Amino acid sequence: MGGKKDMMSGDDIRNAGLKVTLPRVKILALLEQSEQGHVSAEDVYKLLLDAGEDIGLATIYRVLTQFESAGLVTRHHFEGGQSVFELDRGEHHDHIVCIKCGRVEEFFDQMIEDRQQEIAKEKGFTVEAHALTIYGYCKNAACRAS
Amino acid sequence: MGGKKDMMSGDDIRNAGLKVTLPRVKILALLEQSEQGHVSAEDVYKLLLDAGEDIGLATIYRVLTQFESAGLVTRHHFEGGQSVFELDRGEHHDHIVCIKCGRVEEFFDQMIEDRQQEIAKEKGFTVEAHALTIYGYCKNAACRAS
DNA sequence: CAACAAATGAGATGCTTTTGCATTCTGCCA
DNA sequence: TGGCAGAATGCAAAAGCATCTCATTTGTTG
């Protein structure tokens, strides 16, 4: 039995050296339940409002940034507009984003990962991170390229 | 025959449907001569100031955006901070950026390009663009990871 | 070279994100 | 369990980047 590690909780917040406050718990819970998986700070703000929790936008930014430092969430800078956040479940992956509806899907490709390492080595770089995002139109009929 | 296409000129501006003005000529020339190859709007502003050309930042943003629409330059959104622009010489490539000194190198890998297409197809996406940036420490001694 | 449309510059404006500060809450210890 | 120090929150102001407004200036074309 060993607790499954795909459910975040107050312990995760505590382990990050942060106090377990209502805003932090709510934000973490929201990221867990979130359909999209990828939400902007403002999305979080509005979703929490809808849920009856009036948490200041500044707090949301602050908390998300702290969660990021703690490795609980990852921040992505897709083109145009706000940063989006997602819960970090430990597995690295890249993204493919629909430029029409905003849908975000994840993928992981070992071949691409390997090639990146090789390329970096050729150029004398030590890889610390990388971001690969494919932009296009998703399968949704309404999103098909004109 | 056929003029070599690696030197931009006023004709390129004119062909883009834009008037050949001093700001536009200076900005284009700067992008050509630029050592780094990748400059932010503010870099352009300062470099032009140093060169004795006092061109407003608003104009620089405007012109760079127009050049982008015309396909003369490409805009990249690397992590943190401003967008950077580079002359578009027609060949697509991705970037590897030193997170210590900011050095930017380019690379192109057909294998990665192909895999992206396959991945998109699997997910039912039509690729319009993509951005792959590797972040790390460059070979420069002072930049080695601690 | 006159006349018009396009372009520029300076500052205002919009958005996203961060910060300062007074107030409120958590976690801890007596 | 009550109280306290330090951390966290909320609000409003600020900061950073990019765009827009509008009066003035500059290409272009006839």
Side-chain angles (χ1 to χ4, degrees), chain A residues 108-122:
Chain A
F108 175 82
D109 188 271
Q110 193 59 53
M111 199 181 302
I112 291 180
E113 299 291 321
D114 293 344
R115 284 299 296 150
Q116 288 184 56
Q117 286 295 339
E118 287 171 38
I119 290 162
K121 179 178 277 185
E122 283 169 24

Side-chain angles (χ1 to χ4, degrees), chain B residues 7-52:
Chain B
M7 186 75 170
M8 301 282 183
S9 74
D11 289 334
D12 292 286
I13 297 174
R14 209 185 319 275
N15 291 338
L18 302 169
K19 288 187 178 179
V20 181
T21 62
L22 187 138
R24 301 219 254 239
V25 170
K26 292 296 180 187
I27 292 171
L28 191 56
L30 186 148
L31 288 170
E32 290 238 305
Q33 305 158 201
S34 154
E35 293 288 317
Q36 313 91 293
H38 299 77
V39 293
S40 68
E42 188 145 359
D43 289 337
V44 172
Y45 176 68
K46 289 184 180 149
L47 288 168
L48 286 175
L49 260 193
D50 292 348

Side-chain angles (χ1 to χ4, degrees), chain B:
Chain B
M1 339 161 184
K4 300 201 323 194
K5 188 74 217 72
D6 47 30
M7 186 75 170
M8 301 282 183
S9 74
D11 289 334
D12 292 286
I13 297 174
R14 209 185 319 275
N15 291 338
L18 302 169
K19 288 187 178 179
V20 181
T21 62
L22 187 138
R24 301 219 254 239
V25 170
K26 292 296 180 187
I27 292 171
L28 191 56
L30 186 148
L31 288 170
E32 290 238 305
Q33 305 158 201
S34 154
E35 293 288 317
Q36 313 91 293
H38 299 77
V39 293
S40 68
E42 188 145 359
D43 289 337
V44 172
Y45 176 68
K46 289 184 180 149
L47 288 168
L48 286 175
L49 260 193
D50 292 348
E53 304 289 344
D54 194 348
I55 298 174
L57 195 49
T59 297
I60 292 172
Y61 272 107
R62 231 172 347 218
V63 170
L64 287 172
T65 300
Q66 293 161 336
F67 282 0
E68 184 188 14
S69 301
L72 291 178
V73 310
T74 304
R75 182 193 304 235
H76 302 288
H77 306 268
F78 295 150
E79 307 239 341
Q82 304 123 297
S83 301
V84 300
F85 300 81
E86 73 173 313
L87 218 53
D88 187 338
R89 295 200 162 79
E91 321 124 10
H92 163 74
H93 57 252
D94 292 304
H95 299 88
I96 180 162
V97 181
C98 179
I99 52 185
K100 195 73 169 288
C101 70
R103 169 209 207 90
V104 178
E105 294 196 26
E106 307 172 352
F107 69 86
F108 175 82
D109 188 271
Q110 193 59 53
M111 200 180 303
I112 291 180
E113 300 291 320
D114 293 343
R115 283 300 296 150
Q116 289 184 56
Q117 286 294 340
E118 287 170 37
I119 291 163
K121 178 178 275 183
E122 283 168 23
K123 299 210 168 277
F125 275 67
T126 309
V127 177
E128 282 294 312
H130 70 95
L132 165 57
T133 305
I134 300 175
Y135 298 93
Y137 296 100
C138 76
K139 64 181 70 159
N140 192 318
C143 294
R144 286 278 158 60
S146 45

Side-chain angles (χ1 to χ4, degrees), chain A residues 18-75:
Chain A
L18 301 169
K19 288 188 176 178
V20 181
T21 63
L22 189 138
R24 301 217 255 238
V25 170
K26 292 296 179 187
I27 292 171
L28 191 56
L30 186 148
L31 288 171
E32 290 237 304
Q33 304 158 202
S34 153
E35 293 287 316
Q36 314 91 290
H38 299 77
V39 293
S40 68
E42 187 145 3
D43 289 337
V44 172
Y45 177 68
K46 289 185 179 149
L47 288 168
L48 286 176
L49 260 193
D50 292 347
E53 305 289 344
D54 193 348
I55 299 174
L57 193 49
T59 298
I60 291 172
Y61 272 107
R62 241 178 329 225
V63 170
L64 286 172
T65 300
Q66 293 161 336
F67 281 1
E68 184 187 15
S69 301
L72 292 178
V73 310
T74 304
R75 181 192 304 236

